[in-house]
Amino acid sequence: MIMSERLSDELIDEIRASADIVDVISEYVQLKKKGRNYFGLCPFHGENTPSFSVAPDKQIFHCFGCGAGGNVFSFLMDIDGLSFIEAVQKIAERTGKDIPALSVQTDHASPKTEKEKQLFDLHELLNKFYHHLLVNTKEGQKAYLYLENRGISKDAIDTFQIGYAPGSWDFVKNYLEKKGFSHSIIEESGIIVKSTQGDRTFDRFRNRIMFPIHDHSGNTVAFSGRVMETDGNEPKFLNSPETPIFKKGNIFYNFHRARPEIRKKDACILFEGYADVISAFHAGIKHGIATMGTSLSDEHIKILKRNVSTAVLCFDSDDAGVEATYRAGRLLEANGITVLAASIPNQLDPDEFIRQYGGERFQTEVVDRSQTFMSFKLSYLRRGKNLMNEGERLLYIEEVLKEISKQSSAIEKDHYLRQLANEFSLSLEALKEQEKQYSIQQDKSLRKQQKVMPQQISTFSKKEKKLAPAYVTAEKMLLSHMLQNDQLVWEIQKLLQNQTFNIDEHQAIFTYLAAYYEEGNSPDVSQFLDFIKDQSIKRLVTEISLIQIQEELTEPELNDYIMQVLKQKKLLMIKEKEREEREAESSKDYVKAARIAMEILQLRKTL
Ligand SMILES: [Zn+2]
């Protein structure tokens, strides 16, 4: 078995320190020095005034516009869609550092278990093997011609690492065993299947075109095999089963390649199939992704929310595609993502359209002409209704009014109400009145929902840029000082008297930082960033580390911050007690209510 060597933390630190982040970023962004830092136009979101900054003293970057940030490795991962190890390799190559051969390095920042590591290795190896079979062997030739006939170029085959699984029952199984993988790992990978009778196992993918599926760091984690000609008995696409390294609902096809473009455009195109993604990519439209043939999961939505404000839905133009657009659109819209619906002329699939008319026309005639989700819904609701029939017409108008009442923009509301009034020769006033009724109902049910589901608190969402309360600023200031001074961590821990920070993300940074210093590391933001796994926490760290602070934290300043943090804790406690008091009162337990009232009084005194 080919063993993949891991890089030691020391070596990674050394490689990071060997490159200047300003030099590396300068190759992608025009930077201008202003004071201590450099500024430029952010490569991750469209902007006209520079809000992207690079701090050479801390060796980090941060965008005040979109919140992107990190060290030199994160920059390369984001902009080039590299995995962590690939980013390390790229820097090592630049600076001429010698690193151990990483031929089948699975380039995963830190696979959790030995089993996962082996699964990554197996998929990586098999990916190369399938690709080799397609491109270089006689058996693969038929599949190669098939792809060529379908307009998939050599370039696309290489970029997307498309491969071929031979029509044998045990070829791949034998290959993997020869390479030293244990039977249990091969079985766990889902590459082989147990036969229904007996213990016999055989290759899952036979005589299929193989599309490797990558996780968002670019590791091959699964395969999707497509038949070339189907006799109706075989499914058109066959996917790897879920494994410890592959969860369908967590992955978008092509996400790791599309990410830089997605971040730049603040938008993505959601396709139905791999072929659409591949065709679009090679026609120059690089922010296309697709689910693994499933509908959008909660995790998918979370990923999109972190990365885009707009999603263009570009599904097939058949009935199933229209239904899928409606469902996905509603889900995305409910989660605050702006939805656009593209429709493709002549009942074509995106892939077919691009092959017939090219990428440029796809951009101008399909993507650029996407309609708002509201106008998509209008035509969706109209489907199958005979508007000449009075009953159906009224039903349609009612449904449309309900949709309009969900719009948040008054201008949009007005626009669609007028459109409706014109089309059916109705009084605009009457429609407005009816719409208002629906709006009120809407608000009521929304408020009910919010009572049941506590609102998720996000401290660093793009949309909330209000003035932060004092305790938030205090926690940030404390963290900012702790990033520069390890001794402070212990001092602040003591001062907080076993209390935590109010903001969960701040507490997470605090905990990471304590662990980081405990391992004997010294203050170094850039190094610390590699210590953190969570992307959004990383961003928050870069943001906090760029707060302008004095070198020294004075005693009064420190005490003031601590006081703010603890005060907020007490305020929350008081609120909770007030609630208990009301409960006690309403259940006529006046003794209890009085006792709680006293406790509240005591707490208030300490504020
Ligand atoms: Zn930005």
Side-chain angles (χ1 to χ4, degrees), residues 41-47 51-52 62-68 263:
L41 292 176
C42 179
F44 302 114
H45 84 278
E47 62 173 4
S51 47
F52 178 83
H62 177 72
C63 172
F64 294 93
C66 67
R263 294 287 297 277

Side-chain angles (χ1 to χ4, degrees), residues 88 110 145 166 204 253 320 360 371 380 410 438 471 473 486-487 511:
V88 175
S110 56
L145 284 174
R204 177 186 298 270
Y253 181 67
E360 212 163 295
Q371 47 182 344
Y380 176 85
Y438 288 134
Y471 71 92
T473 311
D486 47 348
Q487 290 313 310
T511 312

Side-chain angles (χ1 to χ4, degrees), residues 16 57-60 70-71 480 483-484 513 516-517 522-532 538 541-546:
R16 188 188 327 95
D57 52 341
K58 301 192 172 82
Q59 289 291 306
I60 56 171
N71 61 17
S480 169
L483 283 167
Q484 291 188 10
L513 206 49
Y516 171 79
Y517 287 140
S522 30
D524 179 340
V525 182
S526 182
Q527 186 187 351
F528 176 53
L529 285 170
D530 285 338
F531 195 83
I532 305 170
K538 270 190 199 194
V541 169
T542 53
E543 186 196 311
I544 288 172
S545 74
L546 288 173

